[in-house]
Amino acid sequence: MSHGIQYVYDLDSKDESNNRMRGLPWSSGLPGRGSKDADEEVDYGTLDLLLKARVMAEGDSASTSEDVDGRLGPSQVKIDHNSSSGDLLWDPTRLKIESRSNFSSARANACVYKGKWMYEVTLGNCGIQQIGWATIDCPFTFEEGVGDAPDSYAYDGKRVRKWNVSCHSYGQTWATGDVIGCCIDLERGEISFLRNGESLGVAFTDVRRAREGLAYFPAFSLSQGEKAELNFGGRSFLYPVPGFRPLQGPATEQAAQADYLLGCLRRLMQLSPIAHDHSSLLPINFAYQAFDASDVVLSCGLVAKHLWPLLRMDYVVSTVFVPFLLSMLSPLEDLSNVPYFANMFFPVLEEFETVEVVGKLFDSLASLYKTSPFTSTVGCTPPGYRYLKLALDLMRIPGVFAAWKAWPSFYSQFELFLTQKQPNPNDLATLLPEVWWPGADCKFSSEDAMKMQSKNIKKALETIEGVQFEMCMELLIYMPESERTIFEDFVLWLLQKNKGANRNVPPPNLSDPTVLNSVFFVLLRLLHCHLRTESNSADAMGRFPASIFVSDLSKELDLPRLGGTLAHVEREHPLECIQQLHVEIGPGTAHSESGSATHSLRKHPLDLQVKPVRQASFLSPQQLTWLFDVSLLLYHLSVADAFKAANTQNQAKLHFLSQLEDTERRMQRLDMKSGEMLAHLKEARKRFRKEVIESTRACCWSRIYLFRQQKQCAMYCLSNYACRLLLSLSEGKCSGSSDEGEKLFSYVPEYYVDSMVDAFHALRRAEPAFAGAKVLARHGLADAISFLVKHFADKRILNPDVRDGLLQSISVLLQYKEYHASFEENQEAREHMIPSLLVAFQERFWIPISNILVHLCRGRGFATKCSKGRDFQSKVFQKILHDTCKDDAELFSSFLNRLFNTLNWTITEFGVSLKEIKEGARRRQLAEHHQQQRKCTIMFELSVNLLRILEFFSLVLPEVFVQGPGLNLTRLCELVRFVLVHTAAGPEGRSFEERVSHISNFYSQEKLTRGTVLAPVAGILINLYRAELEAQAEGSDHNSVLVCLSASDPVVESMDVLENMQWSKALSAEPQSLVNIRFLSELARALREQEKDHTGCTTVEGGMDTDEDVCTICYSAMADTAFLPCGHRSCHQCISRHLLNNKRCFFCNMDVESLDMS
């Protein structure tokens, strides 16, 4: 740049040729000097000196001589690392911190002792943090921090408390991205806090002050994983409070200088020929239209020489530069002035200067966007939109984007633009002042008003997400020299950063979950048109490269596979040619109206017509499959948790709504004279109404943020494609041999299965759902059911948690009539599910399997409750269950043995839990007491479920007990006696209600009723006795139920209890169950008669202790069987029962080879 050109001009000349000379000082606001000849050259050296003098004058005019008395410490305020405790991670500026221990604390390196001061904290997440002020004497330990000692004051928005030795309710719940202002007024002795500029009121008064050596430091304590960014004045405060000063003096002089120089550039833009075609946006000074472009460049160079050192300061960028650029934005996409300014200013800077200025600019924009509260949707444009829009305009300028890409913090800054600030209850109250729900009083709420508010929020979110998508597309179309796009590199960086995000103790420096959510939905939008059901079997997504399972990303993240770790899979199932293998993915199946399985329809009812994304058409098949793989991983790491949280919110809403309706019904039935009770109910109604309003608002936000129709449709396509891919892999449909296809299934990452299953359940629970349950069941569930029933017992899946998840899914789906019908129509389910369930009933999986079997056996039990909307009966699976157990006696015998053992354990644990609750109700800690109550309730429910399963088999296969091996009936009757002793007869049985009363949880008390557990017991006795009577009538050999039951005295007493139960009132019994009660009475009468017949009879027990031929295990039978080779003897029944679970002698623990029954 040359500065040796003479510059003379005549400000008063009316010659148009002199306009060029007059333009330069006009643009700089400098005084003019006369000129005799307009053709003389410009003296840029003189202009530079004049410009420098003017810049200095602007700074002097903005300087303040404000007294800074009342503050001690260095001018640049940051964290004092010498005063920190715990394990804190901070950046080089020591303004961003993250705790890596249970409790970490730190102070700033400056303090105040008089005056009014403040600083701001931007929350990186919304967990437990204590932010405020503390003296140097405040102890920082692993258990104590800010607010835990005298002269130490803190605010905690997670627990909504203020802390000063003790804690008290204060403030609002805070959210990630909130800006917390911390103010101390040492003139009045008060400390107060602000949340996003809204005052939370005075938190503390009578703060000690005016004492020698007493000064207050900004101080902060964070729990593990919590992050915060501190601003002591190095940047302009987002929410300054009049009268309160920052601890770090603001760079007001430099800001004024930068403001003046940017004004010069604005005027130069009006002189530039490039702006003439955009006169509608720039106020062009037409007197200087002859201004030459080279003069603009030279003049810009002079201005930039003085401006760029100022733009290195964060305060100047946030206070002056960002507002300057925002003023150039236009509502019209193609008419923004930002590109013209950038193309004029940045080229005159050196490359390193451009990189630093651009990096500082985007850092400020990202911070401003992240902290913009989503509390206003006026015109459907949220406050943060303008920062996103400015960032997008800058990204579209090649030189600016290249400079930003060269900035070391490029990825960290870009991810901040993908955050979505989640509103807290106070923010939602601002967004949704009108709340309506079905049944709400129209006097207080309006459905139309809430719909309009929701519509505005939806448009605002779509606006934000639209800009975020365009920013990602700028990364996608930017092609560097490497093989991957910038977007792919960013996603890789993001995944590596969040490795281990779903661990119990996550690693530090994780991204905000909304960043992962945003990237996930961006990928869905890109993939949607390729994943659509009617097209993906024919295009590039129809062949899935197996190399994705052993990619560099997959190896680096080292995520578990279905066959174990990758190293284990490669060792046990080596595939040298995996890079060349492709999985052939065929079309899915859907149920026709007749119930048969058909191929997917050409026009699928769940595929919305979506506008193709232009950038997606340039993606190669390898890129598409990589993006699909990443989508499932992102869902596994973060998105699944968001959907689960939304479901929890919806369940809370339904719970509180039920409580509110119940309270209102009780108020209507209550006598108006019951003043105290009425007041209590009014207070309860007020509390429940508040909870309903807050949960309705939260559900509305989740519905808009997560469950928009386009997102649901894309998620359906993703989960459906993943399901068909997994089915193809499990069936070995690949380009190699069948053996290679079989091995390939073990290489599949576990998150493929987890994400596929969880995404389907998220769609099933969606409110409102984009498709009804019947449509989803017919067109989305067929392949999912096939995979579930074929693989919950698949030995190739080594992780039992994955198989347990598949079983849990089956259990949940079978509760609903529409999905239950889909299982009955599915051929794989009819052929494989029942045998696999019986085989898999063992220690790990018995709970979900028992739930499934109870659902299948529904409608056949004695005195069963009928659940509203779920009173359907699975005749198809009941017949399959009957036939399977009847045809495969060995399988059923093994299952029955495990069922007996498990039921014996659950009943025992239930009895022990009840006893512990009664004995320790006074001395036990509250948390331990509640845990014991929960265990007791669970054991009771599991016992009832197992009894119902036994009741079903005693009904459909009574011959197994009555006419089969005597051991089956003996063990069943033992269990029946065991249950009766605990719940109906004997000391424990008679005090059942009294022991249950010690459970403080009313909901648990309602579940733990005597009738609930005795109903299946009564059903078992009725079924066995009827079968015995039928066998007697037919004259066939049979085992005697009466003989097996009469071995215990409390049985007769228990039968009296069963007879006297009010079955019709207690459990809404069905008429058929009431008819069966007469068999119960007959059995009770027969047992009483048998007891009379045995009264006074001499037993043989007296001589058993000395008889060598008596079984020493049961003392009720002869020792007629011996273990070989050891020769130890016992009765055949005891030995048979023992060998069901153990193949060793129970005397000497020697392996049993055979039995001698001679």
Side-chain angles (χ1 to χ4, degrees):
M1 185 182 300
S2 173
H3 301 291
I5 305 175
Q6 284 195 339
Y7 173 34
V8 291
Y9 52 89
D10 183 1
L11 190 62
D12 298 325
S13 173
K14 296 183 179 180
D15 186 355
E16 288 297 325
S17 64
N18 258 347
N19 289 342
R20 171 173 170 270
M21 316 306 172
R22 294 161 54 201
L24 289 172
W26 175 80
S27 66
S28 306
L30 299 176
R33 294 186 302 175
S35 173
K36 293 182 179 179
D37 189 352
D39 293 330
E40 292 188 35
E41 295 183 342
V42 180
D43 184 355
Y44 282 97
T46 303
L47 182 60
D48 184 28
L49 292 174
L50 292 172
L51 188 61
K52 180 178 180 181
R54 180 61 184 271
V55 169
M56 296 299 294
E58 290 289 336
D60 292 339
S61 64
S63 65
T64 61
S65 58
E66 185 180 358
D67 185 14
V68 293
D69 186 26
R71 175 192 177 281
L72 296 174
S75 58
Q76 187 174 1
V77 184
K78 59 181 70 173
I79 296 170
D80 180 14
H81 62 276
N82 294 320
S83 71
S84 65
S85 72
D87 188 2
L88 278 172
L89 178 69
W90 46 66
D91 70 335
T93 66
R94 296 219 303 270
L95 293 175
K96 296 179 180 179
I97 56 175
E98 180 178 0
S99 173
R100 295 190 294 185
S101 60
N102 289 338
F103 204 60
S104 304
S105 303
R107 297 182 184 87
N109 61 354
C111 61
V112 295
Y113 57 90
K114 70 177 182 180
K116 301 165 72 174
W117 305 87
M118 73 172 291
Y119 70 98
E120 287 184 341
V121 180
T122 300
L123 304 178
N125 39 20
C126 54
I128 295 177
Q129 302 185 35
Q130 294 174 202
I131 299 170
W133 304 85
T135 63
I136 194 67
D137 296 326
C138 175
F140 288 165
T141 67
F142 288 102
E143 296 181 354
E144 293 184 335
V146 186
D148 295 327
D151 299 326
S152 173
Y153 307 89
Y155 163 52
D156 177 4
K158 174 65 175 180
R159 294 173 287 191
V160 198
R161 294 287 188 272
K162 59 180 180 180
W163 296 79
N164 176 233
V165 182
S166 60
C167 65
H168 303 277
S169 179
Y170 173 80
Q172 302 175 0
T173 304
W174 59 28
T176 302
D178 279 351
V179 178
I180 306 301
C182 306
C183 302
I184 185 168
D185 184 349
L186 292 172
E187 297 173 1
R188 305 179 63 176
E190 295 178 348
I191 291 177
S192 58
F193 298 91
L194 301 90
R195 175 179 174 268
N196 297 330
E198 179 184 353
S199 175
L200 302 178
V202 176
F204 303 101
T205 58
D206 299 326
V207 176
R208 289 206 304 161
R209 60 199 188 281
R211 176 184 169 187
E212 185 177 354
L214 187 66
Y216 290 92
F217 293 79
F220 7 84
S221 298
L222 292 76
S223 60
Q224 184 163 3
E226 295 303 304
K227 295 181 286 188
E229 182 176 357
L230 310 166
N231 181 13
F232 300 107
R235 283 184 176 179
S236 59
F237 285 149
L238 294 175
Y239 305 101
V241 180
F244 286 81
R245 293 179 292 177
L247 275 79
Q248 180 172 321
T252 52
E253 296 181 24
Q254 293 85 346
Q257 294 170 352
D259 185 57
Y260 162 71
L261 291 170
L262 288 171
C264 296
L265 290 177
R266 184 187 293 274
R267 288 186 288 272
L268 280 172
M269 287 178 66
Q270 299 177 34
L271 298 174
S272 173
I274 197 173
H276 290 173
D277 296 334
H278 302 275
S279 57
S280 61
L281 294 179
L282 289 170
I284 303 299
N285 192 311
F286 290 98
Y288 307 120
Q289 288 185 18
F291 201 62
D292 190 79
S294 61
D295 293 323
V296 174
V297 174
L298 292 171
S299 300
C300 281
L302 289 180
V303 175
K305 173 185 176 182
H306 300 282
L307 179 59
W308 97 264
L310 301 173
L311 296 183
R312 300 175 66 189
M313 304 177 66
D314 293 332
Y315 184 87
V316 173
V317 173
S318 61
T319 307
V320 180
F321 195 29
V322 170
F324 170 78
L325 292 174
L326 289 174
S327 67
M328 295 187 175
L329 287 178
S330 169
L332 303 177
E333 182 73 20
D334 300 327
L335 297 180
S336 172
N337 289 323
V338 173
Y340 307 119
F341 167 80
N343 288 326
M344 183 182 73
F345 173 63
F346 288 113
V348 300
L349 297 177
E350 297 290 344
E351 183 178 352
F352 75 93
E353 295 174 342
T354 303
V355 170
E356 185 169 5
V357 170
V358 169
K360 293 281 186 179
L361 174 59
F362 275 99
D363 186 58
S364 182
L365 286 174
S367 178
L368 289 168
Y369 166 71
K370 181 184 177 181
T371 55
S372 298
F374 199 98
T375 55
S376 173
T377 56
V378 179
C380 301
T381 304
Y385 168 76
R386 54 184 185 152
Y387 304 118
L388 275 182
K389 180 65 170 60
L390 177 56
L392 178 60
D393 283 358
L394 290 168
M395 286 182 67
R396 286 173 170 166
I397 303 169
V400 174
F401 184 69
W404 188 25
K405 179 65 178 67
W407 184 245
S409 302
F410 166 70
Y411 290 143
S412 300
Q413 291 175 356
F414 186 80
E415 76 164 322
L416 293 181
F417 289 111
L418 299 180
T419 57
Q420 176 55 65
K421 199 168 189 309
Q422 301 295 298
N424 74 349
N426 300 86
D427 301 331
L428 288 173
T430 303
L431 288 169
L432 294 163
E434 292 280 349
V435 179
W436 178 91
W437 62 88
D441 192 343
C442 59
K443 295 180 181 179
F444 303 100
S445 57
S446 167
E447 181 180 7
D448 293 337
M450 187 171 181
K451 285 183 177 179
M452 182 57 66
Q453 296 161 8
S454 302
K455 184 178 180 181
N456 291 338
I457 297 174
K458 178 184 176 183
K459 288 184 178 179
L461 270 176
E462 287 176 341
T463 302
I464 290 290
E465 290 175 355
V467 179
Q468 290 175 333
F469 180 80
E470 291 300 324
M471 293 179 73
C472 291
M473 292 306 98
E474 291 299 320
L475 265 63
L476 187 65
I477 63 177
Y478 186 89
M479 296 298 296
E481 296 180 358
S482 62
E483 296 180 358
R484 292 193 300 262
T485 64
I486 301 297
F487 181 69
E488 291 175 278
D489 286 335
F490 167 71
V491 173
L492 279 171
W493 173 86
L494 194 65
L495 292 174
Q496 291 163 352
K497 178 181 178 181
N498 292 277
K499 178 183 178 181
N502 52 358
R503 295 176 186 166
N504 292 333
V505 181
N509 198 32
L510 296 177
S511 302
D512 187 303
T514 60
V515 174
L516 303 182
N517 298 348
S518 297
V519 176
F520 171 76
F521 288 120
V522 166
L523 297 181
L524 274 192
R525 190 169 171 182
L526 279 171
L527 291 169
H528 190 180
C529 58
H530 294 279
L531 294 174
R532 294 180 64 194
T533 307
E534 74 267 14
S535 61
N536 57 23
S537 60
D539 64 8
M541 297 293 284
R543 300 181 77 245
F544 192 89
S547 58
I548 201 76
F549 300 142
V550 291
S551 64
D552 293 338
L553 172 64
S554 182
K555 292 180 179 179
E556 182 174 350
L557 297 180
D558 194 26
L559 294 168
R561 313 306 172 101
L562 296 181
T565 63
L566 182 58
H568 172 79
V569 172
E570 288 178 333
R571 182 174 62 253
E572 296 296 325
H573 310 284
L575 277 176
E576 298 180 358
C577 59
I578 191 172
Q579 298 288 346
Q580 288 75 42
L581 293 179
H582 286 80
V583 183
E584 305 294 339
I585 305 175
T589 57
H591 290 299
S592 66
E593 293 300 322
S594 62
S596 59
T598 62
H599 286 292
S600 296
L601 307 177
R602 180 65 182 171
K603 184 179 174 75
H604 202 282
L606 299 185
D607 275 341
L608 299 178
Q609 293 298 321
V610 293
K611 183 179 179 181
V613 178
R614 175 178 56 84
Q615 293 85 347
S617 60
F618 300 107
L619 296 172
S620 66
Q622 290 75 17
Q623 287 176 311
L624 288 172
T625 52
W626 184 83
L627 293 177
F628 167 78
D629 176 75
V630 169
S631 299
L632 293 180
L633 181 53
L634 287 171
Y635 187 93
H636 173 71
L637 291 175
S638 176
V639 183
D641 292 335
F643 281 105
K644 290 173 183 175
N647 180 58
T648 302
Q649 291 171 348
N650 189 53
Q651 294 300 318
K653 171 189 169 183
L654 296 176
H655 169 72
F656 289 124
L657 189 57
S658 174
Q659 295 289 335
L660 177 62
E661 293 172 350
D662 181 63
T663 303
E664 290 177 342
R665 283 194 298 268
R666 294 175 65 185
M667 290 179 64
Q668 292 173 0
R669 296 194 301 264
L670 191 66
D671 187 355
M672 297 303 294
K673 296 180 181 179
S674 306
E676 184 177 350
M677 179 60 70
L678 185 62
H680 174 74
L681 290 176
K682 284 184 177 179
E683 182 64 27
R685 181 179 65 177
K686 180 180 178 181
R687 184 173 66 254
F688 289 134
R689 181 178 177 82
K690 179 183 177 182
E691 296 287 355
V692 169
I693 290 174
E694 289 188 356
S695 58
T696 301
R697 285 175 175 147
C699 289
C700 181
W701 172 265
S702 299
R703 191 162 55 244
I704 298 170
Y705 176 54
L706 295 173
F707 292 110
R708 293 207 297 275
Q709 190 178 38
Q710 291 80 3
K711 289 184 177 181
Q712 287 193 60
C713 181
M715 271 187 56
Y716 159 75
C717 293
L718 180 76
S719 60
N720 184 268
Y721 179 84
C723 182
R724 291 186 291 112
L725 170 63
L726 289 169
L727 280 175
S728 298
L729 283 163
S730 68
E731 295 168 1
K733 295 180 179 178
C734 72
S735 55
S737 65
S738 59
D739 181 59
E740 291 172 334
E742 180 75 15
K743 291 181 178 180
L744 190 58
F745 184 72
S746 299
Y747 283 79
V748 178
E750 286 182 1
Y751 65 80
Y752 272 53
V753 177
D754 292 339
S755 299
M756 181 273 291
V757 173
D758 194 89
F760 178 80
H761 285 296
L763 293 171
R764 178 183 60 81
R765 295 189 295 254
E767 184 186 353
F770 83 111
K774 291 184 178 180
V775 176
L776 192 62
R778 289 195 171 276
H779 297 284
L781 196 58
D783 294 319
I785 289 176
S786 297
F787 184 83
L788 291 175
V789 299
K790 288 176 64 177
H791 294 90
F792 72 81
D794 192 339
K795 300 298 183 181
R796 294 178 296 176
I797 302 177
L798 296 189
N799 188 350
D801 290 335
V802 176
R803 293 162 59 188
D804 186 65
L806 300 180
L807 280 169
Q808 296 285 1
S809 296
I810 296 173
S811 177
V812 170
L813 293 174
L814 287 174
Q815 297 180 41
Y816 300 92
K817 191 172 184 178
E818 295 82 2
Y819 301 128
H820 197 287
S822 297
F823 274 85
E824 291 183 339
E825 295 170 353
N826 188 280
Q827 183 178 355
E828 298 286 351
R830 294 195 301 268
E831 292 180 357
H832 301 291
M833 187 169 74
I834 295 300
S836 298
L837 287 173
L838 298 179
V839 170
F841 189 89
Q842 53 188 344
E843 291 182 7
R844 173 79 195 200
F845 305 114
W846 68 269
I847 294 180
I849 291 177
S850 63
N851 291 331
I852 294 171
L853 292 176
V854 166
H855 294 316
L856 298 181
C857 299
R858 183 191 290 115
R860 301 295 296 273
F862 172 77
T864 53
K865 284 185 177 179
C866 296
S867 302
K868 185 177 180 181
R870 299 184 182 180
D871 54 342
F872 53 91
Q873 187 175 342
S874 179
K875 294 183 179 180
V876 172
F877 282 114
Q878 287 178 7
K879 185 178 186 307
I880 295 174
L881 188 58
H882 169 271
D883 295 343
T884 302
C885 295
K886 187 175 182 179
D887 297 340
D888 194 337
E890 183 179 355
L891 172 63
F892 182 55
S893 176
S894 176
F895 165 75
L896 202 58
N897 173 59
R898 294 192 296 269
L899 182 59
F900 284 143
N901 293 339
T902 306
L903 181 55
N904 185 70
W905 176 77
T906 58
I907 290 292
T908 303
E909 287 296 310
F910 169 67
V912 171
S913 299
L914 268 184
K915 185 177 180 181
E916 290 179 350
I917 289 172
K918 180 181 178 180
E919 292 177 351
R922 295 182 179 179
R923 56 182 171 80
R924 184 176 286 113
Q925 296 292 330
L926 184 62
E928 184 183 353
H929 188 60
H930 287 169
Q931 183 179 4
Q932 196 67 37
Q933 290 180 4
R934 183 172 179 271
K935 176 185 175 183
C936 183
T937 305
I938 291 174
M939 288 299 155
F940 182 83
E941 292 178 341
L942 292 173
S943 300
V944 172
N945 285 348
L946 295 174
L947 283 170
R948 284 295 183 188
I949 296 171
L950 272 176
E951 181 191 8
F952 173 79
F953 287 117
S954 70
L955 175 65
V956 300
L957 290 170
E959 62 273 16
V960 173
F961 305 98
V962 176
Q963 296 176 296
L967 182 60
N968 290 340
L969 183 60
T970 300
R971 297 187 69 184
L972 180 57
C973 289
E974 286 177 355
L975 276 171
V976 167
R977 290 199 304 270
F978 191 49
V979 173
L980 292 175
V981 166
H982 278 80
T983 59
E988 291 187 4
R990 286 190 291 270
S991 63
F992 180 81
E993 282 86 358
E994 188 268 334
R995 288 185 295 154
V996 169
S997 65
H998 290 283
I999 298 179
S1000 58
N1001 190 325
F1002 178 74
Y1003 178 68
S1004 297
Q1005 286 187 22
E1006 283 190 326
K1007 285 186 172 182
L1008 271 63
T1009 62
R1010 178 178 282 171
T1012 303
V1013 69
L1014 290 182
V1017 172
I1020 291 171
L1021 293 174
I1022 291 169
N1023 296 334
L1024 293 178
Y1025 189 58
R1026 290 183 64 175
E1028 182 178 353
L1029 294 178
E1030 292 174 0
Q1032 288 177 355
E1034 295 173 359
S1036 56
D1037 294 335
H1038 63 277
N1039 304 313
S1040 175
V1041 179
L1042 294 175
V1043 172
C1044 291
L1045 287 175
S1046 62
S1048 178
D1049 293 335
V1051 172
V1052 176
E1053 180 185 350
S1054 302
M1055 297 304 298
D1056 293 336
V1057 175
L1058 290 177
E1059 275 192 290
N1060 295 326
M1061 287 290 296
Q1062 300 291 325
W1063 296 112
S1064 57
K1065 294 181 180 179
L1067 294 175
S1068 303
E1070 298 176 353
Q1072 184 60 40
S1073 297
L1074 296 176
V1075 171
N1076 290 334
I1077 292 179
R1078 67 181 180 87
F1079 289 101
L1080 195 63
S1081 301
E1082 292 178 7
L1083 176 61
R1085 191 162 48 249
L1087 285 170
R1088 293 190 195 100
E1089 292 176 357
Q1090 184 172 268
E1091 184 184 28
K1092 291 178 182 179
D1093 294 339
H1094 285 79
T1095 302
C1097 292
T1098 303
T1099 63
V1100 296
E1101 293 182 359
M1104 282 187 177
D1105 292 336
T1106 59
D1107 192 345
E1108 296 181 357
D1109 293 331
V1110 173
C1111 173
T1112 56
I1113 301 299
C1114 66
Y1115 289 95
S1116 62
M1118 301 297 293
D1120 56 359
T1121 306
F1123 292 114
L1124 293 180
C1126 65
H1128 290 109
R1129 302 181 68 84
S1130 183
C1131 70
H1132 181 72
Q1133 181 168 289
C1134 289
I1135 288 180
S1136 298
R1137 178 183 296 192
H1138 174 73
L1139 291 179
L1140 288 173
N1141 305 297
N1142 195 322
K1143 303 302 181 183
R1144 293 173 178 265
C1145 172
F1146 42 53
F1147 294 108
C1148 65
N1149 207 32
M1150 181 179 288
D1151 290 336
V1152 176
E1153 297 179 1
S1154 62
L1155 297 177
D1156 181 9
M1157 301 177 61
S1158 60

